[in-house]
Structures are given as C-alpha cells and as structure tokens.
C-alpha cells in the first residue's frame, strides 16, 4: 500500500510538472536583465539560431517585423508549436510580448534543421502603438519552441537591438507655394522619410534671405513624429509683423522668397516658398486712367488665388472677417485706407469668399485720386505700395492688433504720361541781304544767298516730323513777284509742306538745330520787272506733327 501511494505521488508530481511546463512556456520571462543572444544559425552546417538581425519595414500602411531563424526540424515536424516573442526595455526586458498570432513564415529544410523566414504584422497587435513605442527604446526577439509529447522547450534569442534606426532620406512632398502671414491660420507641410521605421527625430524650420526678421511659428517647435508609413506632418504660420515694413518690387513673384527646411538625422530637404501673395504693379498713366490700376481690374493676376483660397478656408468659420485695401506712402509709419481716396471703389467689405478682395476698383476721377498720387510719387522716385489686410472686425483704419492675416506690401509704379512734343522755336526770318539787280533779272545759278535760323522742339519723345511750306512767292509792297527758289537745309519749298526734320524717341528728349536758308535765282529767272531798293519777302509756314496725337501748327 505504501509503495502504491508513493507511485501515485510521483505520478501526481509528474502531472503537475507537465502542466507547469506548459504554463511557463506561455508566460516565460527573461531570466536576467536580458537573455544572452543565441550564436548565429547556419542551415548548411546544422546550427540553430538567428541568421538575420530582426528589422522592421512599412508596407501598405502596415509595419512588419522580419527575421530568419534556423531551428531543429523536429520542432516543425511535431506539433508545430512555435512562439514569437518581443522583449522590450519598458520593464528592463523582464516581460515578453507574444506576437505569434500575427506571424507567418516560409521555410526550407536541410537534414534535421529548417530555416524559417518570419514576417510578423506588428500593426495588428492589440497594443501596436504601445509596442512600437517600446521597441524604439530597445528590444530583442525570442523564438520559443516546444514539441509533443513532452513539451520540451528550446529558446533562441536575437542580439539586442538598440531601437535606433537611422534615416536614409527625407523629401518634402507637400507644401503650399505661397502663403499669407496670419496669426489665426496654420499651413500644412509633409515629408516622406525613408526608412519608415526610422527613430531619427524630424525637425522643421524656415528662413529667408529677403526678410531677416522672419520668425516662423511651428507647432511643437517644429518637432514632428514619423508615422508607420514614414510620413511626417507639420503646421506653421508666419506672424503678420513680418510684412509691415519691406516692399516687394517684383512684378513676377508673389511676395518674398523663403525656404522651408526639414531634417531627419543627417538628411535634409528644402522647398522654396513665397510669403505675402501679392505682386508689384507697373503701369503707364494712360493705361491706368483708361483701364484701371490693373487692366480691367483683373486682380487675379496680382494676387495668388491659391494662397488666398487656402487662407479663406483656414480661417475660423465661426467668426466674421473683413478685407481692407491700404496704401503706404514712402516712409509712412502707417498706411491709408484706399476707400477714402476718390476714384477708388470696393476697397473693403465683409469677406464672404476668396474672390471678394479682387473687387477692388481704381480708376481715374477728378481731384486728388490714387492714380494722380501714384504718378507723382513715381515722378519723385518714391513709389507708393498697397497691401491687403484681413481684419477680425470691421474697421477702415490701421489697427495692427486686429489683423488676422495680411499680404505683403506691393510696390505701385505708374510712369507719367510723357508730355507731347512742342515746337518752341523757329527762325523769325531769313535776311538774304542786298542782291544785285542783274542776278534778279537774268538769273545766276552760281550765286547762292544764305541765312541762318534755329529750330527747337521740347519733349521730342514721340514719332514726329517738322514740315515747312512757302505760301506765296517773294513779293514787294506793290505785289511784284520774283521767280526764285527758296531752300531750307537743301529742301526746296513750295506751296505743299516739305519735311525738314523728323524724329522718333521713346524717352524724354529735346531737339534743336540750326536751319540754313538758301535763296537761288535760276538762269532763266526772267524777272524783267524789278523795283530796285525795294524789299521782297515771303511767308514760311512751319508745322509739327506727332503720330498720336497731332499737334497744332506754328507760324
């Protein structure tokens, strides 16, 4: 009886140990701070252990753990019970996390050993966010195997992974091209980091060579995390104070260039952006008075429409905003509301959609209108600038503390209409002196009598020509005529106008020249009736014509 009890007791203990073995297999813990790594495996030489260092990759939005391990073939042949565990540093590697149910593998065999290529979908683990965060702090992978019928356990451990995965590349793949300065609206930008499981922190920043005082504001000071797909997203804004002083003179670019920069580890990328959204304006006085400050009020060509739309959509929909257009005289400490200037309409109002600011209408009007001021400022080499302001309240004066967003200041240069050419001087007369009666009566082509005069034209900055005509022959007081030839600069005059001078200039210019008058009597003059000691005279008509418009003649 006694021996029988001992036998039963031994059997009971065996059963208890058997159950305990199963229990410990499912809840194994590291026996020290972390287990010693198993020597590297080698399928060809029949040596169990890891043949690759475990690593993570991101594919199709999922994060996978991958590694290869060689184990005894019997662990696959019998029962197929293989656990995959991850020990992380959150509790000094004391507790394993089982991820077996997310694992799949392929294997190849040689002799009594198999090499298993494991893929574990960590994203499907119930606490994947916590697990991934813990893995970044350091981890190692364990493979726990046991087989029927005795549940004999064999454990293999990888080398400890530091959790640090260096980035290989970073690229900004989304960012606006132009932004307005705003205290209420943030702009988004994103970058793609490779590999997706990098542990390098991502840092965003911005700088500008044009605006040395630029101080971009990033959420979380520009530090952003990398999600499981390798994407890093930031939000940033530029304070409105950055655009109060400097003027943009560029008619091609929407504001001032600045650089958006992102860095992960030793890798960086940049994108060139523009701050302000407003181009400079250059026009002529004639065009501005006829068509408006911008032709047909097409402000869409001056304002960056995409940036304006982004701004409108980013503002607080629960609030009301107003747009106001201002202009800055040079060196002014504050601007003037454009709506207070005659000839300007739709310079402000309730901001109901992104097209509202493009309703600004600036045309000529009597009195001291904006174009008149802009022309004079351009003449003085002190051009004005304009600026679009978005207010959080309805006001028509400069209130910086109420500004929700602002464009850059854009230079306005309106070249004055050139003054028309003006004939300021023609010869008052040509005095040919005393001429022998014999020459007058009989003619003598060898004789030529000359006199000098001066022609002067002011503002000779158009296509112009100066003509002259002789309305009647030389005559005395009794009406006796002389048959003679009158030339100016070698051009013979007659009753029809003849061109003496012409010119074409696109810039302000003046013209003056000495005119030589010549009087000749041809050999067949046949002036048989001549009164001696008499004065003979004629009239020369001068006429200055301009291509557009014509100018009245002078006599």
């Amino acid at each position: 009886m006694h021996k029988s009890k001992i036998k039963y007791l031994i059997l009971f203990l065996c059963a208890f140990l058997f159950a305990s073995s199963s229990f410990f297999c499912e809840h194994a813990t590291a026996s020290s701070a972390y287990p010693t790594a198993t020597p590297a495996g080698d399928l060809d030489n029949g040596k169990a252990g890891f043949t690759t260092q475990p690593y993570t990759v991101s594919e199709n939005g999922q994060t996978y753990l991958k590694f290869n391990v060689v184990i005894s073939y019997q662990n696959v042949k019998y029962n197929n019970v293989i656990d995959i565990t991850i020990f992380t540093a959150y509790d000094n590697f004391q507790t394993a996390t089982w991820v077996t149910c997310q694992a799949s593998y392929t294997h190849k065999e040689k002799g009594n050993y198999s090499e298993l290529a494991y893929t574990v979908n960590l994203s499907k683990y119930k606490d994947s966010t916590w697990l991934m965060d813990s893995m970044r702090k350091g981890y190692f992978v364990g493979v726990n195997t046991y087989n029927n019928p005795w549940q004999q356990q064999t454990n293999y451990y990888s080398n400890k992974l530091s959790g640090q995965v260096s980035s290989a590349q970073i690229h900004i793949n989304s960012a606006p091209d132009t932004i307005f300065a705003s205290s209420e609206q943030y702009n988004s930008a994103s970058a793609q980091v490779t590999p997706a499981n990098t542990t390098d922190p991502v840092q965003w920043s911005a700088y500008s060579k044009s605006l040395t005082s630029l101080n971009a504001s990033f959420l979380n000071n520009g530090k952003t995390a990398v999600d499981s797909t390798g994407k890093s997203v930031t939000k940033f804004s530029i304070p409105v104070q950055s655009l109060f002083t400097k003027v943009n003179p560029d008619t091609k670019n929407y504001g001032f260039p600045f650089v958006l920069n992102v860095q992960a580890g030793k890798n960086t990328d940049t994108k060139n952006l523009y701050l302000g959204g407003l181009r400079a304006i250059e026009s002529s006085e004639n065009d501005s008075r006829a068509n408006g400050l911008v032709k047909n009020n097409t402000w869409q060509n001056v304002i960056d429409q995409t940036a304006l739309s982004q701004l409108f959509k980013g503002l607080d929909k629960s609030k009301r905003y107003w747009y106001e257009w201002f202009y800055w005289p040079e060196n002014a400490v504050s601007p003037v509301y454009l709506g207070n200037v005659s000839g300007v309409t739709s310079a402000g109002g309730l901001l109901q959609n992104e097209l509202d600011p493009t309703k600004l209408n600036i045309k000529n009007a009597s009195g001291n209108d904006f174009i008149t001021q802009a022309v004079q400022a351009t003449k003085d080499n002190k051009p004005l600038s304009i600026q679009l302001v978005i207010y959080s309240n309805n006001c028509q004066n400069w209130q910086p503390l109420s500004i929700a967003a602002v464009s850059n200041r854009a230079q306005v240069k309106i070249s004055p209409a050139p003054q028309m050419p003006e004939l300021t001087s023609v010869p008052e007369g040509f005095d040919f002196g005393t001429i022998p009666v014999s020459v007058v009566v009989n003619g003598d082509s060898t004789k030529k009598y000359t006199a000098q005069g001066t022609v002067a034209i002011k503002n000779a900055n158009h296509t112009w020509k100066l003509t002259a005509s002789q309305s009647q022959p030389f005559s005395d007081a009794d009406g006796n005529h002389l048959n003679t030839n009158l030339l100016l600069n070698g051009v013979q005059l007659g009753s029809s106008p003849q061109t003496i001078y012409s010119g074409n200039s696109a810039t302000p210019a003046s013209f003056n020249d000495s005119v030589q008058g010549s009087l000749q009597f041809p050999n067949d003059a046949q002036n048989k009736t001549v009164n001696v000691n008499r004065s003979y005279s004629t009239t020369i008509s001068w006429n200055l014509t301009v291509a557009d418009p014509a100018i009245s003649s002078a006599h």
Side-chain angles (χ1 to χ4, degrees):
M1 177 65 75
H2 178 69
K3 292 181 179 180
S4 177
K5 287 182 179 181
I6 292 175
K7 181 178 180 181
Y8 290 148
L9 178 60
I10 292 173
L11 291 175
F12 174 78
L13 289 173
C14 289
F16 176 78
L17 289 174
F18 179 86
S20 298
S21 173
S22 175
F23 174 82
F24 284 121
C25 284
E26 295 181 1
H27 300 280
T29 60
S31 59
S32 59
Y34 56 89
T36 302
T38 306
D42 187 335
L43 179 64
D44 292 335
N45 294 318
K47 186 178 180 181
F50 284 81
T51 59
T52 62
Q53 179 81 328
Y55 63 98
T56 56
V57 296
S58 294
E59 298 172 355
N60 302 320
Q62 303 290 306
T63 300
Y64 298 93
L65 172 69
K66 294 190 175 185
F67 61 88
N68 286 24
V69 63
V70 174
I71 64 174
S72 170
Y73 177 64
Q74 64 179 347
N75 293 122
V76 179
K77 185 175 181 180
Y78 301 105
N79 193 45
N80 301 323
V81 179
I82 302 173
D83 283 342
I84 311 299
T85 59
I86 297 175
F87 289 86
T88 58
Y90 84 98
D91 64 348
N92 201 26
F93 305 102
Q94 292 301 305
T95 306
T97 300
W98 262 258
V99 291
T100 302
C101 59
Q102 282 80 42
S104 62
Y105 64 84
T106 61
H107 72 277
K108 56 183 179 179
E109 303 172 2
K110 187 172 184 180
N112 293 324
Y113 290 87
S114 293
E115 182 173 13
L116 283 67
Y118 270 99
T119 298
V120 184
N121 191 341
L122 298 178
S123 298
K124 290 188 176 181
Y125 179 72
K126 62 180 180 179
D127 294 320
S128 60
T129 301
W130 166 84
L131 176 60
M132 293 299 295
D133 182 63
S134 297
M135 288 176 65
R136 291 177 188 274
K137 300 173 183 176
Y139 68 99
F140 61 87
V141 176
V143 175
N144 305 27
T145 68
Y146 52 96
N147 53 43
N148 283 339
W150 305 111
Q151 299 292 326
Q152 180 179 355
Q153 180 173 313
T154 304
N155 299 325
Y156 305 102
Y157 299 104
S158 70
N159 289 316
K160 178 173 176 282
L161 280 71
S162 67
Q164 300 300 312
V165 181
S166 297
S167 60
Q169 187 181 37
I170 188 167
H171 173 64
I172 298 175
N173 56 5
S174 175
D177 292 322
T178 306
I179 66 171
F180 285 78
S182 175
S183 57
E184 297 191 15
Q185 186 246 1
Y186 276 88
N187 305 277
S188 295
S190 66
Q192 188 67 35
V193 188
T194 306
N197 66 321
T198 181
T199 56
D200 285 340
V202 174
Q203 180 68 53
W204 295 82
S205 60
Y207 63 91
S208 172
K209 294 180 179 179
S210 301
L211 298 171
T212 55
S213 60
L214 182 77
N215 184 21
S217 176
F218 288 85
L219 292 183
N220 196 31
N221 294 321
K223 295 180 180 179
T224 58
V226 179
D227 66 16
S228 60
T229 67
K231 187 177 182 180
S232 174
V233 179
T234 189
K235 291 185 177 295
F236 68 98
S237 66
I238 309 293
V240 296
Q241 291 81 1
S242 300
L243 294 176
F244 284 168
T245 56
K246 194 169 182 181
V247 179
N248 175 28
D250 195 332
T251 59
K252 295 181 179 179
N253 294 321
Y254 292 110
F256 300 103
F258 76 100
V259 177
L260 184 65
N261 181 77
V262 66
Q263 181 171 1
K266 297 180 179 180
N267 305 288
T268 62
D269 192 27
T270 60
K271 178 177 173 59
N272 295 321
L273 286 73
Y274 284 92
L275 173 63
L278 204 59
R279 289 173 171 169
I281 298 171
E282 290 188 4
S283 179
S284 69
E285 183 177 1
N286 290 339
D287 285 345
S288 297
R289 294 194 183 282
N291 302 313
L293 185 60
V294 292
K295 188 174 182 180
N296 300 323
N297 291 304
T298 52
W299 286 92
Q300 291 88 333
N301 297 328
V302 178
I303 307 173
D304 190 308
Q305 290 293 285
T306 301
L308 193 60
S309 178
Q310 290 172 346
L311 172 67
F312 181 78
K313 293 175 182 177
L315 292 173
D316 188 347
K317 295 298 184 291
S318 65
K319 298 172 61 176
R320 302 180 80 185
Y321 296 91
W322 284 260
Y323 74 94
E324 312 286 349
W325 283 96
F326 287 84
Y327 78 95
W328 294 75
E330 189 180 68
N331 299 325
V333 295
S334 61
V336 180
Y337 175 54
L338 262 172
N340 292 336
V341 181
S342 62
V344 181
T345 60
S346 302
L350 185 64
L351 184 65
Q352 301 179 87
N353 63 68
E354 61 266 35
L355 293 178
D356 285 332
T358 66
K359 297 175 183 177
L360 177 63
N361 190 336
I362 302 175
K363 285 192 174 181
N364 183 34
S366 60
N368 190 20
D369 63 283
F370 177 77
I371 293 178
T372 300
Q373 295 182 55
V375 169
Q376 186 59 50
T378 304
K379 279 184 181 180
D380 297 339
N381 200 28
K382 296 180 179 180
L384 307 176
S385 60
I386 61 173
Q387 188 170 33
L388 173 63
V389 178
I390 307 299
Y391 273 124
S392 55
N393 57 18
N394 187 10
C395 59
Q396 296 180 353
N397 49 42
W398 185 247
Q399 295 184 5
L401 295 179
S402 299
I403 294 177
V406 65
S407 76
N408 58 282
R409 290 170 57 180
Q411 186 179 78
V412 178
K413 294 182 70 175
I414 304 180
S415 56
Q419 294 181 327
M420 301 306 297
E422 180 182 345
L423 186 59
T424 58
S425 176
V426 294
E428 293 184 1
F430 294 98
D431 186 355
F432 298 110
T434 301
I435 302 173
V437 173
S438 61
V439 173
V440 175
V441 173
N442 300 317
D444 188 344
S445 59
T446 65
K447 303 291 185 179
K448 181 170 67 173
Y449 303 90
T450 62
Q452 300 291 327
T454 300
V455 166
I457 298 173
K458 183 172 68 174
N459 305 319
N461 50 6
H462 285 67
T463 299
W464 59 272
K465 66 179 180 178
L466 181 61
T467 62
S469 61
Q470 183 181 357
S471 57
Q472 63 181 18
F474 279 90
S475 305
D476 63 11
D478 295 332
N480 296 310
H481 303 311
L482 297 181
N483 182 14
T484 183
N485 296 328
L486 177 61
L487 294 83
L488 298 182
N489 286 353
V491 178
Q492 183 169 325
L493 297 189
S495 58
S496 299
Q498 302 296 315
T499 300
I500 310 301
Y501 295 104
S502 63
N504 187 346
S505 175
T507 58
S510 61
F511 175 86
N512 59 77
D513 198 7
S514 177
V515 183
Q516 184 182 63
S518 300
L519 189 63
Q520 291 180 312
F521 293 86
N523 291 332
D524 57 350
Q526 297 179 354
N527 291 310
K528 304 303 182 181
T529 303
V530 177
N531 294 319
V532 297
N533 298 322
R534 291 287 188 94
S535 295
Y536 286 80
S537 63
T538 188
T539 299
I540 299 175
S541 296
W542 297 90
N543 188 53
L544 177 65
T545 57
V546 182
D548 182 21
I551 290 183
S552 60
S553 60
H555 299 279

